[in-house]
């Protein structure tokens, strides 16, 4: 009667569907495991960078960490330190450096510049127990190097921070984000560098390629966002960090 043709129909594909629709529905992205990342890292290091790329290693490492959102959510120490650093800069701009140090419980009277910086790092990143604690402290130190250099350029007069340009603060925040992402990636991969490097110079070059890849994305995304010192630092730093990680992961 012709009704059978309704159910069996012709086998032509619906013209509204893309030609590779059936292929697309069968493609399921496999989760990235640390075993895969470590294997890729070993090949990248042992080949002197000719096998794979820095971007691929960073992307795979972020995926193995559960992706951008999960990585930020599980980095409580690092994100707390980032907010603390941003809060310090915001406090300096609003109330001056010495009032801000008092609010942080830092006794500065009679202390050397080096002592004050040591106490400031401890206030921003007080612990060094977990891997994330260590990453947070490493990132805090990388950020405050920018401030120390500014003070050194001003005859080690700590009060000069009151007049420190926001550009220096932004540079410090960029340094923190770059170091945080790089150190988080490397904390599970450093052993591969030591095990598979052909020589120290080559290994350092590969690590620099990884950091340069991260730094380039942080620079662009930070500048696109605008200074974190101008915003609600608590929310802005989380959003920007996740944005940077998402770009590096390749999902944005």
């Amino acid at each position: 009667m012709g009704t059978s043709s309704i159910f069996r129909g012709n086998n032509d594909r619906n013209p509204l569907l893309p030609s590779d629709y059936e292929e697309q529905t069968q493609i399921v992205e496999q989760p990235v495991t640390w075993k895969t990342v470590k294997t890729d890292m070993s090949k990248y290091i042992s080949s002197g960078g000719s096998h794979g790329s820095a971007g691929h290693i960073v992307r795979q490492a972020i995926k193995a960490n559960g992706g951008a959102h999960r990585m930020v959510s599980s980095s409580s120490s690092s994100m707390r330190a980032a907010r603390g650093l941003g809060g310090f800069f915001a406090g300096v701009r609003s109330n001056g450096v010495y009032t801000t140090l008092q609010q942080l419980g830092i006794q500065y009277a009679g202390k050397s510049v080096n002592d004050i910086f040591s106490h400031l790092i401890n206030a921003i990143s007080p612990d060094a127990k977990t891997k994330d604690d260590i990453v947070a402290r490493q990132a805090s130190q990388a950020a405050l190097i920018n401030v120390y250099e500014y003070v050194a350029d001003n005859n080690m007069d700590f009060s000069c921070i009151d007049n420190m340009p926001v550009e220096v603060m932004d540079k410090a925040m960029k340094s923190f984000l770059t170091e945080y992402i790089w150190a988080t990636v490397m904390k599970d991969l450093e052993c591969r560098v030591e095990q598979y490097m052909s020589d120290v110079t080559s290994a350092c070059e590969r690590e620099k390629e990884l950091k340069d890849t991260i730094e380039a994305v942080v620079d662009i995304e930070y500048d696109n966002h605008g200074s974190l010192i101008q915003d609600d630092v608590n929310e802005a730093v989380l959003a920007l960090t996740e944005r940077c990680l998402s770009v590096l992961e390749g999902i944005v």
Side-chain angles (χ1 to χ4, degrees):
M1 291 182 56
T3 54
S4 60
S5 67
I6 296 176
F7 296 101
R8 286 196 294 270
N10 68 50
N11 292 322
D12 291 340
R13 192 178 281 111
N14 186 328
L16 296 178
L17 296 177
S19 60
D20 62 343
Y21 174 77
E22 291 180 357
E23 292 180 30
Q24 290 179 3
T25 60
Q26 293 173 12
I27 295 174
V28 178
E29 184 176 353
Q30 297 298 316
V32 176
T33 66
W34 275 112
K35 181 179 179 181
T36 300
V37 183
K38 289 178 180 179
T39 299
D40 289 348
M41 183 68 165
S42 300
K43 294 176 180 177
Y44 176 65
I45 294 297
S46 62
S47 69
S50 62
H51 190 290
S53 68
H56 174 77
I57 298 297
V58 173
R59 180 165 59 252
Q60 296 293 84
I62 294 171
K63 289 181 182 295
N65 269 300
H69 181 71
R70 184 175 178 181
M71 194 165 156
V72 172
S73 299
S74 62
S75 300
S76 57
S77 295
S78 294
M79 293 302 97
R80 183 165 56 250
R83 293 194 296 267
L85 181 66
F88 169 71
F89 289 141
V92 168
R93 296 196 75 203
S94 299
N95 306 309
V97 65
Y98 288 122
T99 297
T100 303
L101 290 176
Q102 285 180 330
Q103 291 172 343
L104 290 172
I106 297 174
Q107 300 297 322
Y108 56 84
K111 303 290 185 182
S112 70
V113 169
N114 288 340
D115 284 341
I116 295 174
F117 271 101
S118 179
H119 288 303
L120 182 56
I121 289 173
N122 288 334
I124 292 172
S125 180
D127 298 317
K129 300 174 183 177
T130 67
K131 285 185 177 180
D132 185 38
D133 291 340
I134 295 169
V135 168
R137 195 169 183 85
Q138 186 174 329
S140 299
Q141 290 171 335
L144 288 175
I145 284 173
N146 296 275
V147 183
Y148 185 90
E149 289 175 347
Y150 178 81
V151 174
D153 288 341
N154 284 272
N155 301 314
M156 298 299 279
D157 178 6
F158 198 81
S159 65
C160 72
I161 294 177
D162 283 339
N163 300 312
M164 186 167 65
V166 70
E167 289 79 12
V168 177
M169 300 179 184
D170 288 328
K171 184 180 179 182
M173 294 301 298
K174 287 181 180 181
S175 294
F176 182 99
L177 293 177
T178 298
E179 192 71 22
Y180 153 69
I181 298 172
W182 183 77
T184 301
V185 167
M186 290 304 298
K187 66 182 170 60
D188 294 303
L189 296 177
E190 189 68 49
C191 61
R192 294 287 162 153
V193 177
E194 297 170 356
Q195 185 176 353
Y196 289 94
M197 67 179 181
S198 56
D199 59 79
V200 174
T201 300
S202 177
C204 290
E205 288 173 352
R206 302 293 78 74
E207 290 191 346
K208 185 176 186 302
E209 287 171 356
L210 291 167
K211 182 171 277 190
D212 287 349
T213 297
I214 294 166
E215 185 177 34
V217 169
V218 170
D219 279 345
I220 292 170
E221 295 304 321
Y222 193 104
D223 290 344
N224 286 343
H225 177 279
S227 177
L228 289 179
I229 315 305
Q230 313 285 355
D231 291 332
D232 177 352
V233 176
N234 288 345
E235 294 301 321
V237 73
L238 294 176
L240 180 59
T241 304
E242 187 167 339
R243 171 73 185 184
C244 291
L245 288 168
S246 296
V247 172
L248 287 163
E249 187 185 355
I251 62 174
V252 173

